[in-house]
Amino acid sequence: MKTDGPAAPRPTDGKSAETRDGKATDKAAELKAAEARKAGRRAREVTIKGIAISPGVAIGPIFDVDAAPAAAPRRTITAAKVEEERGRLTTAVATSRKQVGKLKARLAILPEEAQEELEPLLDAYAMMLGESRLIRGARKRIEAELLSAETAVSDEADAIAGAILAAKDDDKAGLRRRAGEVHEIARRLTRNLTQSGFRSFKEVPEGSILVAEEMTPADAALLDPSRIAGVATEEGGADGHTAIMLRALGIPSVLGLPGLTNALSRGDQAVLDGRAGTIVLRPGKEALAEGRQGIAAYAKERTRLGKLRRLPSVTTDGEEMELQANLEIPAELPLIAQAGAAGIGLLRTEFLFMNRQGLPDEEAHYEAYRQIVEGTDGAGVTIRVLDWGGEKDMEALSEGVEPFHAGPNPALGLRGIRMLLRRPELLEVQFAAILRVSSLGPVRVLLPMVTIPEEVREAREIYDRVVKRVRRRGVTLPEKLPALGAMIETPGAALAADAIALEADFFAIGTNDLAMYTLAVDRAEAEVAHLYDPLHPAVLRLIQFATEAALRLRMPVSVCGEMAGNPRLVPLLMGLGLRSLSMNASAIPRVKQMVRSLNVDDCARFARRVMEQSDPKRIQELVMGFVPGEKG
């Protein structure tokens, strides 16, 4: 039966409209409450822990900057477009080279330390924008895979960086730096290919703490340390070129701050502590007071440590300790000069083989060594010849040397002196350049990964041949030729130290590899990294054995691993008889401070007490509990 009028509404959920309206009202209220809670959270003080990069405390307003995207959608092309894409790439390369040139021209207005730090890096960028593997590989991908120029650049950069990072090398920091360089040039090329804007810091108000998701070394070069109070980023680590630049500029900085950009608003007040590796957003009265105290304390500390630079590294009873610096790339020279290092105790020469198409010739080696030797003002440089194995991605070597297989265990394969004796032409070129540069200042030669005396004997035979060859060329060499030393970085070398000492002129104990090989632990493997312990009694006994073997022959011996840069370990190392340490330049002032508080007899008694222990935990307790001046 049909009825007139509109049909009554029929709720589908069995509830009245009034109930549904009430629910909607409740939902709106909940949303408002959530927004209020979020606003409240953003108004509260928040502390984020990151990676300490450059010491100092900064208080100021946040100024966040965003970089233009440096990525482009993947795109393929037709065969007819290949030449057009190659042309686009050529234009982008030319534009990028001009930009790097402008950055280099800007160096004059930066502090001297920053100038010396950045110039070699920009030179490396310019090299990569030449006929490098990146550019050649991108061209090949355009032709063979029919990719757009930006996609080809991205793929080739990822392939190169991936190969670098996959290398089984104990120097993970160096690998990350080299991979970062490749990606930085790829980003610059992509921005120029897509005509995207670059980051600008002109609008940053004076006294601000600059915040970004990520910062490149080229970005850091644009910073004015007189205007920027501090730098904080969500990405980044302690070992990259950006970190080195920020330290050279002297800007308090913390990188690797998780969730930073989501936790702040532009204009928020913040307290940044570059030593503690923290940033406090919207600080309360207590945090602000602590920040002001930190600024005053850091100023006093800088004054005190600055005075140490000119003071001798000598114990309270007059025993001198030689404190030298490790150098991986020439860009670190300013940091070494600032730290007051007594020369370079370990110059790693692998940088000469990176990011280049062919093998460096004798002249390339000579020029690099000359720059470093002259930069140390006669303080002395120990040059470690190439430490390379088949697992490392060095294009110059892979193309210039007959390839060989790394095997399933590269760390135990053909590396260091083993590889150099198999390929003596590489060793001869380095020996010749080192001999030539020895007339400019004191240098020594260090052989990597020595395990048996025969390896030193064979290397010395090559060395003697090169000496005669260089003299026949009319090159004047110093009367006392550079000493030829051996790195002690395996248990076998340490236990054979008595025999190796009869062949070598000096020892350098590489504690990083020594601990790794002794304990069968790769620090880069998260599952076993906690087992890596340089204070394990087995490691300490090997250090003691090698040191005593050298001292019996009155032969120089040093430690050049991370142990050398830890002030807490200095009393133990001195007690074992060591009088020469080589470390990261930034560690030198505090190590010197420790040396100047010590007495040699106290250190010797302490070392005997430690060496009696068999429990690593007890050794750790003794080392951490040592107080200079205490007897026993």
Side-chain angles (χ1 to χ4, degrees):
M1 182 174 176
K2 200 172 184 179
T3 57
D4 295 329
R10 189 172 59 186
T12 58
D13 57 1
K15 296 182 181 178
S16 67
E18 182 180 350
T19 303
R20 290 198 309 276
D21 290 344
K23 288 287 186 181
T25 303
D26 290 344
K27 188 66 174 175
E30 286 177 12
L31 288 171
K32 286 184 179 180
E35 289 174 3
R37 286 194 298 272
K38 185 176 179 182
R41 284 196 300 271
R42 293 183 73 89
R44 290 199 302 267
E45 178 181 298
V46 174
T47 300
I48 304 176
K49 175 72 175 174
I51 301 169
I53 297 298
S54 180
V57 178
I59 301 175
I62 289 290
F63 190 89
D64 58 314
V65 293
D66 293 316
R74 290 190 64 81
R75 187 165 59 87
T76 56
I77 59 173
T78 62
K81 292 285 187 177
V82 166
E83 284 307 312
E84 181 181 330
E85 290 301 305
R86 282 173 56 93
R88 289 181 64 233
L89 178 60
T90 299
T91 301
V93 168
T95 303
S96 298
R97 287 181 67 88
K98 287 180 183 177
Q99 290 165 347
V100 170
K102 287 180 180 178
L103 278 173
K104 198 167 181 179
R106 188 185 178 277
L107 292 180
I109 68 172
L110 294 177
E112 184 178 352
E113 293 84 358
Q115 292 181 36
E116 296 178 15
E117 176 65 52
L118 189 61
E119 188 168 10
L121 179 59
L122 293 180
D123 287 341
Y125 284 174
M127 283 180 61
M128 278 191 281
L129 289 167
E131 280 300 304
S132 66
R133 175 177 172 182
L134 175 63
I135 305 304
R136 289 184 290 109
R139 287 199 196 105
K140 288 178 183 176
R141 289 177 185 272
I142 290 172
E143 297 170 4
E145 302 175 37
L146 296 181
L147 297 176
S148 67
E150 48 268 51
T151 302
V153 166
S154 177
D155 285 3
E156 185 63 21
D158 286 346
I160 295 171
I164 292 172
L165 293 173
K168 297 290 185 182
D169 189 339
D170 191 44
D171 182 18
K172 299 299 181 185
L175 297 180
R176 286 193 295 270
R177 270 199 290 271
R178 292 191 287 275
E181 290 174 5
V182 174
H183 276 134
E184 166 65 6
I185 289 300
R187 282 191 291 268
R188 181 169 292 277
L189 285 168
T190 300
R191 285 195 177 101
N192 286 320
L193 283 164
T194 58
Q195 297 184 340
S196 303
F198 284 79
R199 180 178 279 161
S200 172
F201 301 117
K202 293 180 181 178
E203 298 178 359
V204 180
E206 188 170 349
S208 295
I209 294 175
L210 185 64
V211 170
E213 189 171 332
E214 187 176 13
M215 181 169 288
T216 69
D219 291 333
L222 298 174
L223 300 180
D224 183 348
S226 67
R227 291 178 53 84
I228 304 294
V231 171
T233 71
E234 198 160 311
E235 303 291 336
D239 305 314
H241 286 300
T242 298
I244 293 173
M245 270 300 300
L246 291 170
R247 283 192 286 266
L249 290 168
I251 302 175
S253 307
V254 181
L255 306 184
L257 290 155
L260 173 64
T261 53
N262 288 329
L264 58 80
S265 296
R266 181 176 290 188
D268 281 347
Q269 191 80 350
V271 176
L272 181 141
D273 190 328
R275 174 167 295 155
T278 60
I279 186 169
V280 182
L281 304 174
R282 301 172 293 275
K285 290 182 179 179
E286 186 177 340
L288 282 170
E290 288 180 1
R292 294 187 185 104
Q293 290 172 5
I295 291 174
Y298 181 64
K300 289 181 182 177
E301 184 184 26
R302 284 193 69 179
T303 301
R304 180 170 51 81
L305 291 177
K307 292 177 181 177
L308 280 175
R309 176 183 176 183
R310 296 175 179 83
L311 294 176
S313 177
V314 62
T315 62
T316 58
D317 53 341
E319 187 81 11
E320 188 174 351
M321 193 75 168
E322 182 182 51
L323 303 182
Q324 297 186 303
N326 298 337
L327 182 75
E328 184 182 336
I329 54 174
E332 295 173 286
L333 269 174
L335 300 177
I336 289 172
Q338 281 180 315
I344 296 170
L346 176 64
L347 168 60
R348 299 180 175 99
T349 58
E350 289 74 41
F351 72 90
L352 278 159
F353 295 81
M354 301 296 178
N355 297 318
R356 61 186 305 140
Q357 185 176 353
L359 289 167
D361 58 15
E362 182 184 319
E363 202 60 33
H365 281 281
Y366 173 77
E367 282 302 317
Y369 303 153
R370 180 190 60 76
Q371 175 190 351
I372 293 166
V373 170
E374 291 179 346
T376 58
D377 294 324
V381 179
T382 298
I383 303 173
R384 186 184 72 186
V385 291
L386 176 65
D387 184 11
W388 181 72
E391 81 284 354
K392 295 184 185 178
D393 186 74
M394 294 187 192
E395 183 187 6
L397 284 167
S398 62
E399 294 190 3
V401 177
E402 180 185 344
F404 48 84
H405 296 291
N409 227 326
L412 305 178
L414 196 62
R415 59 166 293 194
I417 191 64
R418 301 170 182 175
M419 189 278 288
L420 291 172
L421 293 176
R422 181 78 68 89
R423 303 285 185 265
E425 66 275 13
L426 298 175
L427 198 52
E428 290 172 359
V429 167
Q430 286 199 273
F431 280 162
I434 293 169
L435 286 165
R436 287 173 58 195
V437 84
S438 66
S439 63
L440 304 177
V443 298
R444 302 191 300 178
V445 185
L446 186 57
L447 305 174
M449 204 65 187
V450 170
T451 54
I452 56 175
E454 180 62 26
E455 290 168 334
V456 183
R457 281 196 293 269
E458 288 186 37
R460 192 176 292 279
E461 289 174 5
I462 297 171
Y463 187 59
D464 290 342
R465 287 202 306 269
V466 174
V467 169
K468 293 175 183 176
R469 188 183 308 157
V470 170
R471 280 180 170 154
R472 283 198 299 269
R473 286 160 45 188
V475 177
T476 302
L477 300 180
E479 185 177 341
K480 186 177 181 181
L481 295 174
L484 192 66
M487 282 205 78
I488 305 299
E489 44 194 337
T490 66
L495 293 172
D498 282 331
I500 295 174
L502 297 174
E503 304 294 338
D505 297 324
F506 66 94
F507 280 167
I509 303 175
T511 56
N512 296 354
D513 275 351
L514 183 60
M516 177 186 75
Y517 284 116
T518 302
L519 304 175
V521 171
D522 184 350
R523 289 181 298 167
E525 289 289 342
E527 292 183 359
V528 295
H530 66 285
L531 298 173
Y532 180 88
D533 180 12
L535 291 178
H536 190 287
V539 179
L540 295 181
R541 286 167 188 161
L542 291 171
I543 293 172
Q544 181 184 41
F545 195 94
T547 300
E548 291 177 350
L551 295 179
R552 279 194 291 271
L553 294 180
R554 299 182 181 278
M555 190 175 83
V557 56
S558 66
V559 164
C560 57
E562 287 184 11
M563 289 181 72
N566 187 338
R568 287 284 191 180
L569 304 188
V570 172
L572 173 59
L573 295 174
M574 287 194 71
L576 292 175
L578 286 149
R579 296 293 181 268
S580 179
L581 304 175
S582 188
M583 66 204 74
N584 182 290
S586 62
I588 289 177
R590 287 178 180 79
V591 170
K592 183 184 286 189
Q593 182 176 287
M594 174 61 81
V595 168
R596 291 177 59 82
S597 71
L598 298 174
N599 174 284
V600 171
D601 289 339
D602 292 346
C603 292
R605 281 191 292 270
F606 174 65
R608 284 195 295 271
R609 188 179 175 196
V610 169
M611 298 308 293
E612 291 171 355
Q613 309 301 318
S614 58
D615 182 0
K617 290 184 179 178
R618 178 58 182 151
I619 293 174
Q620 182 79 16
E621 289 172 1
L622 288 173
V623 169
M624 298 307 292
F626 178 85
V627 178
E630 280 192 355
K631 304 295 181 183

